[in-house]
Amino acid sequence: MKSNSEQLAILRDNIQFGLYQGKETKASLSRKTGITRSTIYKILDGKVERVQAATVEKIADFFGTTCYIIQNESLESHYMESQYIGSPLSSIDGNKNPIAVPILTEHEFVLKGDHFISEMVTDYPLTYHFSQSKNVVAIQIGSSLSRYYTRGNLLIVDRSNRHVEHSSKLIVRDSHLCSISSEEPLELKDYFFGSILEERYCV
C-alpha cells in the first residue's frame, strides 16, 4: 500500500493526464463532478495533505476508473496498454457501477468474515465502491490494523478467494488481523480473508 504522499502525487498526475487525454479542463471537471475549482487547484498545486474519500470517488468516477487506480496506478500506463488491445481507457460516464459495501469493525469482521454480503447490508452502515466484484466489505481500522494503516479510516477488502494482483493481503496470523504485501507468502496457519483494494481516508 502506497503512502499518503505517494497517493497524492499519483492522483495529481492522473488528473492532469485524464484532463489532457479527455480534452477536459479544470472548469469542466469542477462543473461535472461538483468539486469546487479551489479544491481542484489545491490538489493539483500540492497544497493539500489529504483528499476526502468522497472527492476521490467523484474524480475516479469522472475518469471511469476506480478509487484504487486513481491513487495507486498510472492512468497513462493503463491507456498505453489499452491501445494494444483496442479498447479505450475509460469513459467520463464511468465503466463500473457502485456496489453497496457494509462497514464492520475489526471484531465484527473476524466474527462474520464468512457471512454473505446480502446478510450484512441490512445490519451495518454502508459505503459504496466502484467495482466489478460482488464480494466487497469495508473494515473500520482499529487497534489491530492501526499498525499498518491510519486508525479510523476504512479498508476496502475484496473477499474473493483469489488474490488481487499488487494488492496487500488481509490475513489472520496468531489470532490477529494483519496486512502483508502481495509478494509475501502465506504461512501454514495463516487465514486469508481477502485483498485490500484501498484505504479510504475518513476526514
Side-chain angles (χ1 to χ4, degrees), residues 6 13-14 18 30 55 58 62 76 90 98-99 127 133-134 138 150-151 155 165 168-169 179 185 201:
E6 289 174 322
D13 289 344
N14 283 337
S30 173
T55 300
K58 289 176 182 178
F62 179 79
E76 185 172 6
S90 60
I99 58 172
T127 186
S133 176
K134 302 189 186 318
T150 303
R151 192 176 186 124
L155 284 187
E165 190 176 4
S168 296
K169 301 169 187 173
S179 171
Y201 295 100

Side-chain angles (χ1 to χ4, degrees), residues 163 167-171 178-182 184-186 192 194 196:
H163 173 60
S167 296
S168 296
K169 301 169 187 173
L170 184 67
I171 65 170
C178 301
S179 171
I180 62 174
S181 71
S182 58
E184 185 176 340
L186 295 175
F192 175 71
I196 298 172

Side-chain angles (χ1 to χ4, degrees), residues 84-99:
Y84 293 104
I85 60 175
S87 63
L89 163 68
S90 60
S91 160
I92 61 171
D93 296 322
N95 58 7
K96 289 179 170 57
N97 293 318
I99 58 172

